[in-house]
Amino acid sequence: MRVTGEVHLAGLGSWLPDEVTTADAVADGRYGEADRKASGMLAVRVAEDLPAPDMAVRAARTALRRAARTGLTADDFGALLHCATYHQGPDGWSAPHYVLHRTLDRPIGAAQVGPGCLGMLTALEMAAHRLAADDGKDAVLLTAADNFSPSLVDRWNSSRLFLLADGGAAAVVSRRGGFARLLSVGSVSAPVMEELHRGGEELFPPGITVGRSLNFEERSDYWRSRWAQGAAPPKVHLGDVVADAVDRVLAEADTGLEQVARICHTGYSEGALHTIYLDPLDVDAADGTWEFTRSIGHIGAADPFIGLERLWTRGEVGPGDRVLLLAAGPGMEVACAVVEITEPYLPATARPEEDL
């Protein structure tokens, strides 16, 4: 979608817990040395028992404080969109409204957005549509957070594509201006591939209700076995979907890949990062955020925005630079956005201890 109106990122925030190194995980038997070497990962962030919505609140408060310099107040927001890839709290309870209560605290709509790891980019597109359709409110707050510490989750071995990490991110989307202008945003899906994340699991009862763990590797093993027995694998490669989505969004932004200063991608392990993202685009790891994400891990939907915050606050991108935000998730679907940095980071907009 080409964004023709004034849609900006007015503020970003993140909250990351302490790191646990992959070397320590190997030393205490949680992670294999061969897997550690193959992944290229140095550490992941682990929040222990801090609820995911509280991490979203902390990130949102930073984003809101940074956005306040544009004149935005809580009364200017029309909605809150919260993204999550894992359980947030009690069944039948609303994490989005918990975040809303502890941030904007206004009687506006709050909703949870998916699917999975591209949720925050999906929410960004939804926010752009809302701002275009309703001129009564000037901003939308986006949040994302996950905590993969429950005992049913083995963050070190649930997938060879990534190591699950904890943390939160937030973004203020506004028509009043900000530090970056949204040029385009969109997604491409390959629904024939939805079964890859389902594996051999039945749809009912839901796995969590019978104590089944979140284990993508088991589902991958299921399909490897089926293919070895003669079942036909999907004819679509996720890397092709990535290339298609990026081509479309870049064209809508009147931008070539050579004009993109940096790519903020999902926090995958090294092999998966190249196979799924970098190689299909014919770009190097230095063009992305690998040197950062390899010490963070995969924090669900938050990854691209955590990466953008780091680049912006450290001055690695500045006015005139165009940045590609990129994520893939179950479905299979790939979402991306192109933003152009319009203002440098001003450290005075956040307390020193909150700067990255």
Side-chain angles (χ1 to χ4, degrees), residues 51-53 84-91 93 95 112 145-148 150 152-153 206-209 212 214:
T85 57
Y86 198 62
H87 302 283
Q88 300 283 292
D91 284 343
W93 166 81
Q112 188 160 316
D146 275 297
N147 185 330
F148 294 102
L152 279 178
V153 181
I208 189 68
T209 66
R212 187 176 295 127
L214 176 66

Side-chain angles (χ1 to χ4, degrees), residues 162-181:
F162 47 75
L163 296 179
L164 292 168
D166 310 331
V172 174
V173 187
S174 169
R175 71 170 100 251
R176 289 195 191 175
F179 73 91
R181 183 180 170 216

Side-chain angles (χ1 to χ4, degrees), residues 24-50:
D24 284 344
V26 169
D28 63 21
R30 288 177 290 173
Y31 194 36
E33 175 62 15
D35 289 334
R36 185 190 72 83
K37 289 181 177 179
S39 74
M41 297 294 296
L42 301 177
V44 298
R45 301 302 180 105
V46 178
E48 301 296 349
D49 59 357
L50 180 65

Side-chain angles (χ1 to χ4, degrees), residues 134-189:
D134 178 13
D135 61 5
K137 296 292 184 178
D138 286 339
V140 177
L141 177 60
L142 314 182
T143 61
D146 275 297
N147 185 330
F148 294 102
S149 298
S151 58
L152 279 178
V153 181
D154 181 353
R155 71 172 73 245
W156 303 101
N157 301 291
S158 67
S159 175
R160 290 193 177 93
L161 300 182
F162 47 75
L163 296 179
L164 292 168
D166 310 331
V172 174
V173 187
S174 169
R175 71 170 100 251
R176 289 195 191 175
F179 73 91
R181 183 180 170 216
L182 179 63
L183 302 181
S184 63
V185 59
S187 63
V188 174
S189 72

Side-chain angles (χ1 to χ4, degrees), residues 7 28 41 44 50 59 105-106 120 134 136 140 191 198 200 205 213 286 291 327 332 346:
V7 180
D28 63 21
M41 297 294 296
V44 298
L50 180 65
D105 198 20
R106 293 295 186 272
M120 210 166 173
D134 178 13
V140 177
R198 177 162 45 90
S213 65
E291 287 306 318
M332 301 280 285
L346 302 175

